Amino acid sequence: AHVATYVSCTWSNAALNVSFGANLDPATSDINGSGNFAGANTATTYNVTNDALSNVAVNISVQGSQLVSGSNVIGVGNVTWKSNSTNSNSTNMAATGSTVLSPSYDTSNLIATSEAVGSAAHFRFWIDIPSSQLSGNYIGNYTMQCQQA
């Protein structure tokens, strides 16, 4: 007999368009993603759910790209994140001690580990603007991956 494994993850609408705002100053740190505290009771609006279509727990990893404006770049290492599978407004999801976003899937630092079917992992993003950064509208991407735990 063959037993199939199904993995299906869904992301909140806010997680599909993370912004750090406009008119940011060089040499500023820990600038909140627009959805970091946008929910009720200062909850984050960024989350990923191991959908009910899955039949296994999942590990969720993340990777990012540098932010680019013309020929100017803010390195991906200036973006950090933190996650929590229990509480969307948890005090342990603060910028202090957050994880640097990696250009490849970081399987040592997961958004969620063995996330149960039907449960969500909540996350926040921050950016640091280097002191010599030139002005511009910087655009980059992050990607998450759900895999069987």
Side-chain angles (χ1 to χ4, degrees):
H2 175 74
V3 178
T5 298
Y6 300 101
V7 172
S8 175
C9 290
T10 56
W11 283 261
S12 62
N13 285 337
L16 303 178
N17 188 18
V18 176
S19 171
F20 294 102
N23 301 317
L24 305 177
D25 293 324
T28 53
S29 298
D30 299 333
I31 299 166
N32 283 303
S34 56
N36 277 9
F37 296 92
N41 299 315
T42 67
T44 180
T45 56
Y46 304 138
N47 65 67
V48 54
T49 301
N50 185 4
D51 193 86
L53 294 174
S54 294
N55 63 359
V56 293
V58 296
N59 290 335
I60 303 168
S61 56
V62 62
Q63 69 176 6
S65 67
Q66 58 191 9
L67 288 82
V68 177
S69 177
S71 61
N72 302 314
V73 171
I74 297 176
V76 68
N78 289 289
V79 178
T80 58
W81 61 271
K82 212 170 221 185
S83 64
N84 186 306
S85 290
T86 306
N87 194 336
S88 63
N89 64 352
S90 178
T91 57
N92 75 350
M93 280 201 309
T96 303
S98 56
T99 303
V100 173
L101 189 60
S102 171
S104 58
Y105 287 113
D106 185 351
T107 56
S108 298
N109 297 294
L110 296 170
I111 293 285
T113 303
S114 296
E115 192 70 26
V117 174
S119 63
H122 312 278
F123 52 94
R124 290 184 174 143
F125 288 109
W126 297 270
I127 192 169
D128 296 339
I129 307 299
S131 60
S132 60
Q133 198 64 49
L134 297 174
S135 65
N137 184 28
Y138 289 81
I139 298 172
N141 291 299
Y142 79 94
T143 308
M144 288 188 181
Q145 164 176 276
C146 290
Q147 292 184 312
Q148 181 178 352

